[in-house]
Amino acid sequence: FSTTSQEVKMKWVSIFVLLGCFALVAFAQSDLSDDDDGFVPAEYATCKFSTTSRDGELSEYDLSPLKVSNRQDVSRFSNYEVNYHVHEKTDDREYEYYLNVCGPLEYVDSLNHTTQDATMAQVGANGDTYVGGVLHEARFSSLADEDLRYVMGEGVDGRETVIFLFCADVGLSHPVFADEPTPLTYFFVWNTCAACPIGHPVRSHCGETPANLCSYFGVTKDNAGTVLVIIVTVLFLSYSIFGSLYNKFMLGKSGLEVFPNFVFWTWCCGSIKAGFGLLACSRSIKPSKQYRNLATSLDEDLDSEDMDDDADEHLVK
């Protein structure tokens, strides 16, 4: 009898333990559902991203200047128009898109049928609003060098938005609608200085307006003088080498005449030397002995001419 009683007690203990486990699981699920409604983990709100390039170097990005709350040129708005606004119109459709990165849409409450963590809202011509992306599970990705993508979390009805970001000296700029490759998937392209890796010249001068670094094949205005000197030097060396070869083997010249336009360069260098010498020594130059003798002889000739004139005048009288 005692053994049977103990077995019954163990069964009731097991039942209570199972009920307690079920209660804990139900509470955890309700807690997570509440978090999904209003709480977004910090890692989804970050604007920083690091990736390894093909050459093995670490590239770091920081897109925080693109966040609407950090922009200076949108402070004049006081409604949802403060967000990035993209207009799309074709023959059969017309939509307005409002976007933000690294944070939810500003004044999101004024947009109908949106959630608190919405990062993209699509508004139709009839006023219907759809959430095309949310901050929860938003992430950066990079498939290759300078291929930076901002993928928003799936919104209502599984809608998803991908922004392709490219490094360009155009200021912070704005996104542009690119395509809807599949239903409920939206592609945007964004040329911006904020998409340049940290340490890049354009990223160092990133602002509302272009930095105008005149970058061309890696040349900027910061090093344009050095590049110009290198180009002139290379051209002069090429001119000297090929000109000398032509004079030597085609025209049969020898000696100093092998150098192309030797007479011109001799005259040019001599003129430059004389000019510098005149500028440097003009205040200390004294007339040479020949000049002094010439001046003295001229003065004596003038005096003798005056005396002859006086003599002739005396004879006339």
Side-chain angles (χ1 to χ4, degrees):
F1 177 78
S2 60
T3 302
T4 304
S5 177
Q6 290 180 356
E7 291 178 354
V8 171
K9 289 181 180 180
M10 291 298 295
K11 290 180 179 180
W12 281 107
V13 170
S14 301
I15 293 174
F16 281 120
V17 170
L18 290 175
L19 291 176
C21 292
F22 285 128
L24 288 175
V25 171
F27 176 78
Q29 290 180 347
S30 63
D31 188 27
L32 289 174
S33 62
D34 292 339
D35 288 347
D36 291 340
D37 294 336
F39 175 74
V40 178
E43 63 267 20
Y44 298 133
T46 182
C47 284
K48 297 182 178 180
F49 175 73
S50 299
T51 183
T52 303
S53 60
R54 293 176 180 175
D55 55 4
E57 295 183 357
L58 181 65
S59 298
E60 297 182 352
Y61 298 87
D62 183 5
L63 277 77
S64 57
L66 298 180
K67 192 175 181 179
V68 169
S69 59
N70 295 334
R71 293 290 297 265
Q72 299 177 1
D73 61 340
V74 295
S75 57
R76 62 185 183 276
F77 296 102
S78 58
N79 51 37
Y80 62 85
E81 294 287 345
V82 72
N83 300 287
Y84 294 105
H85 179 208
V86 179
H87 179 72
E88 181 216 355
K89 183 178 181 180
T90 60
D91 296 336
D92 57 347
R93 54 185 280 173
E94 182 176 4
Y95 287 106
E96 308 288 340
Y97 299 94
Y98 298 94
L99 304 95
N100 192 13
V101 294
C102 310
L105 294 171
E106 300 290 334
Y107 300 96
V108 67
D109 294 335
S110 58
L111 289 170
N112 298 326
H113 308 293
T114 58
T115 58
Q116 291 296 320
D117 65 339
T119 51
M120 195 281 271
Q122 180 189 36
V123 182
N126 56 0
D128 293 340
T129 304
Y130 306 95
V131 176
V134 295
L135 185 61
H136 192 82
E137 294 185 356
R139 63 196 181 278
F140 288 101
S141 65
S142 178
L143 301 181
D145 292 348
E146 298 184 358
D147 178 13
L148 188 62
R149 304 180 183 188
Y150 182 68
V151 183
M152 300 180 182
E154 291 188 2
V156 181
D157 301 329
R159 299 174 186 266
E160 186 179 40
T161 298
V162 181
I163 303 178
F164 296 84
L165 299 131
F166 297 97
C167 172
D169 186 14
V170 293
L172 295 177
S173 189
H174 291 74
V176 177
F177 180 81
D179 192 16
E180 186 177 349
T182 59
L184 309 183
T185 301
Y186 310 95
F187 284 174
F188 292 84
V189 173
W190 199 338
N191 294 318
T192 173
C193 59
C196 301
I198 300 298
H200 193 281
V202 174
R203 182 62 177 83
S204 301
H205 297 82
C206 188
E208 299 291 344
T209 58
N212 293 324
L213 296 179
C214 301
S215 178
Y216 188 72
F217 289 111
V219 179
T220 66
K221 68 179 183 181
D222 295 334
N223 60 359
T226 302
V227 174
L228 180 61
V229 171
I230 295 174
I231 292 176
V232 172
T233 303
V234 171
L235 291 176
F236 182 77
L237 291 176
S238 301
Y239 160 80
S240 302
I241 294 173
F242 290 108
S244 298
L245 292 175
Y246 179 82
N247 290 338
K248 176 70 174 177
F249 297 102
M250 299 298 295
L251 301 182
K253 294 183 179 181
S254 60
L256 295 177
E257 293 183 354
V258 171
F259 192 85
N261 297 318
F262 174 73
V263 176
F264 167 77
W265 291 113
T266 302
W267 170 84
C268 182
C269 295
S271 300
I272 294 174
K273 179 180 178 181
F276 278 109
L278 181 62
L279 292 175
C281 306
S282 60
R283 295 184 179 181
S284 60
I285 292 178
K286 295 181 180 180
S288 64
K289 183 177 181 180
Q290 290 79 2
Y291 287 130
R292 288 198 299 270
N293 293 337
L294 177 60
T296 303
S297 62
L298 289 174
D299 291 339
E300 291 176 354
D301 291 341
L302 291 175
D303 293 340
S304 62
E305 290 178 0
D306 292 339
M307 291 177 65
D308 292 341
D309 292 341
D310 293 340
D312 293 340
E313 183 181 356
H314 181 70
L315 290 174
V316 172
K317 292 180 178 180

